[in-house]
Amino acid sequence: MIRKSLAALSLVAAAPFASAEPIKMCVFDVIGANGDMFNMVKDYALEMKAHGVDFELKPYTDEGVAVGDFNSGQCDAVAATDLRTRPFNKFTGSLSAVGAIPTYDDLKTVLATLATPKAAPLMKSNGYEVLGIVPAGAGYLFVNDRSIDTAGELAGKRMATLDYQKDAIHMVNHVKATVVPSDITNFAGKFNNGSVDTAYAPAFAYEALELYKGIGEDGGIVDYPLAQLTIQVIAREGVLDDETAQKSREVAWGMYGQAMDLISSQEEAIPEEKWIRIPDSDIEGYQEMFRENRLQLRDGSHGAEKVYHPKMMSLLSKIRCASNPSASECTASDRE
C-alpha cells in the first residue's frame, strides 16, 4: 500500500490536473476517519492524483447522511455501500443481490469485468456515474442461538433489517422471520442488547461493532455468504471526463487485492468456534431459495418490487455457471 502511494506521489508532479478545484467526496465508514474503508478511499484518492484528480474527502459515520449530502450538492461524489448507492445505478447496485456471488473467486471475476472499458456504458445511469467498486466483504448471518442454522429455523425470529433494503425485507418475509426495521447505525446495538435474534453483516462488524456481544456463548455466524457487499464511488456524470472516469474504475479495481487482504484478515480473526459450518446438502437448498428470490426481485413477482437489474442477474448467472457448471440452475428453464 505504501509503495503504491509513493508511486502515485512521484507521478503527481508530472501529471496535468484535469480540475483546478478539488472534487468533494462524502465518504462513509462506520468507524469514521480512522476506519479501514476511509483509509482505503484515501489510498484511492492518492492514486487518482497521478491522473490529475484531486479529491477532498469528508468522513461520515452515517451513510444515510453521506448520501443525503451528496444529493443536496454538498459533495460532488460519494463513497458508500451499494445498498445505499443502488438508486444511482441499479446495474451495479444489484451486485449485492442475495446469494448471487457465492465465492470470492466469482466476485473477482465480476469486478474485473466491470472495470473493463467495454462495461463503461453500464456505469452511467440517470445523470450519475460509477467511478469505482471495491469489495467490503461477504455478508453473513449472525445469530444468538446456534440452533438457528437453517432457513426453517428463522421462522418467527426477529431479524434486524435495513429499512431501505427492499430485497432483504422480501427475503426475511419469505423465510417467515420478523422484520425489525433498523439502519446501519443501530442494527448492531439491537443485536447486542437482544432486541433481535439475528442480524447480517460482513466479518469486520464482529470486532468493530462488537457483534461478539450479541453472539454471546450460545450464538455464532453462519458460514455462507448471504450477499457480497461493495463500496461504490458515485459521482454526478461529467465530474470526470470519460477517459479519466475509466481510469478511476481501473484504479479502484487495482485495489482489489488490498481490499481482499483486509477482508481475509477480518474473517480469520473470528475464532473458529464462532463459525457455524453448514453441510453441502443444505447449501444446495439455500442456493435454490436465493435464486427463486432473485427471480422475484428481478421480475417484481410474488409481492416483490423490481429491485434487481436483469442484465446484472444474467452476468452473475454466467459467472456462477462458469465456475460451477454442474449446478442445477445452469440447466434451469428459467435461468437468470
Side-chain angles (χ1 to χ4, degrees), residues 271-290:
E272 171 59 28
E273 66 269 20
K274 297 300 182 185
W275 289 103
I276 302 172
R277 309 295 181 186
I278 56 177
D280 290 345
S281 55
D282 286 357
I283 288 175
E284 192 171 333
Y286 274 116
Q287 289 174 336
E288 178 56 23
M289 181 180 70
F290 290 149

Side-chain angles (χ1 to χ4, degrees), residues 26-32 37 58-71 75 77-88 96 136 162-165 182-187 200 202 204 209 229-234:
C26 302
V27 181
F28 166 68
D29 188 312
V30 72
I31 307 300
M37 196 51 64
K58 182 179 180 182
Y60 289 76
T61 56
D62 184 330
E63 67 175 343
V65 178
V67 172
D69 279 3
F70 173 60
N71 277 327
C75 305
V78 62
T81 68
D82 55 82
L83 305 180
R84 274 290 191 186
T85 62
R86 184 178 285 159
F88 301 114
S96 58
L162 302 180
D163 49 14
Y164 50 84
Q165 196 183 356
S182 307
D183 62 42
I184 210 157
T185 65
N186 64 24
F187 84 93
Y200 49 91
F204 89 89
L209 301 182
L229 301 179
T230 60
I231 296 291
Q232 301 192 8
V233 179
I234 309 288

Side-chain angles (χ1 to χ4, degrees), residues 9-17 50:
L9 277 174
S10 69
L11 291 170
V12 171
F17 276 80

